Amino acid sequence: MKDTKLTGNITELTVILELIKRRYTISIPYGDRSRYDLIVDIPNKGLFRTQCKTARYDPDDSTIKIYLKSTTRRNGKHIANKYTSKDIDYIIAYCPELDKLYSIPIFEFEGQSSVVLRVSPPKNEQSLNVNMASKYEILKV
C-alpha cells in the first residue's frame, strides 16, 4: 500500500538536507496550515516560499511529471487547489527514481495543475512547448 504521507516526508527532508548543505537558511512554518512547506533564505536574493513535491519519472517517455496542486478531502470529496504566485514562489520537486531536485518557479506555470519535464529531447525533434528537465535541475543528490 502506498504511504503518500511518508513519501512526502522523505521528499521534504531530502530537499531540506540538500539546501542546508548549500548553506541556505531554512524556516519551517509551525503546523500544517500554510500553502508552503518551507521558506528558503538565499543570501543577497531574499526569502522564497517553497512547496516540496515528489516528482515521478516515466522511463518509457523519458519525462518527469510534477503536480502543481494540493489535494484535500471535504465532505468525502477530493478537492484540488492549484498553487499560484500568491501562495508560493517555487516548487522544489524531488525525483527519487533519478535522485535529483528540480526548482520550478510557479509564475512560469501559473494556472496549470502539472508540469512535464523532458529528460531527453522528443523523438520527433519538437522543441515548441517542451520543458527540458536540465533547465530546472538545481541539485544532484
Side-chain angles (χ1 to χ4, degrees):
M1 185 160 188
K2 191 174 181 181
D3 188 340
T4 57
K5 185 68 174 166
L6 177 61
T7 300
N9 289 342
I10 291 168
T11 290
E12 197 170 316
L13 288 171
T14 301
V15 169
I16 290 169
L17 178 62
E18 290 304 314
L19 293 173
I20 288 173
K21 282 181 181 179
R22 280 142 181 87
R23 308 230 187 272
Y24 296 141
T25 300
I26 306 301
S27 299
I28 301 170
Y30 176 75
D32 198 18
R33 299 183 57 86
S34 297
R35 292 285 285 154
Y36 53 88
D37 291 322
L38 46 102
I39 296 172
V40 181
D41 185 349
I42 301 176
N44 303 319
K45 294 200 176 181
L47 303 173
F48 299 93
R49 298 164 300 164
T50 304
Q51 176 66 35
C52 302
K53 288 290 189 182
T54 305
R56 291 291 167 224
Y57 176 63
D58 182 345
D60 295 331
D61 288 344
S62 194
T63 58
I64 301 164
K65 187 168 190 174
I66 303 164
Y67 288 99
L68 308 177
K69 61 185 178 178
S70 63
T71 308
T72 57
R73 280 184 73 89
R74 260 187 244 138
N75 300 325
K77 295 181 181 179
H78 286 288
I79 298 171
N81 296 302
K82 296 175 188 173
Y83 292 105
T84 70
S85 54
K86 291 179 183 178
D87 303 317
I88 63 172
D89 301 301
Y90 286 90
I91 286 180
I92 297 182
Y94 173 57
C95 183
E97 297 90 348
L98 300 177
D99 204 23
K100 293 183 180 180
L101 294 171
Y102 299 89
S103 178
I104 309 299
I106 199 65
F107 71 87
E108 284 189 27
F109 301 97
E110 195 90 34
Q112 296 183 32
S113 57
S114 65
V115 62
V116 175
L117 305 178
R118 294 208 51 89
V119 175
S120 57
K123 293 177 183 171
N124 66 2
E125 299 180 17
Q126 177 182 341
S127 61
L128 190 62
N129 298 322
V130 173
N131 299 303
M132 294 304 297
S134 58
K135 175 181 174 185
Y136 300 96
E137 184 179 336
I138 57 171
L139 308 168
K140 293 186 181 183
V141 181

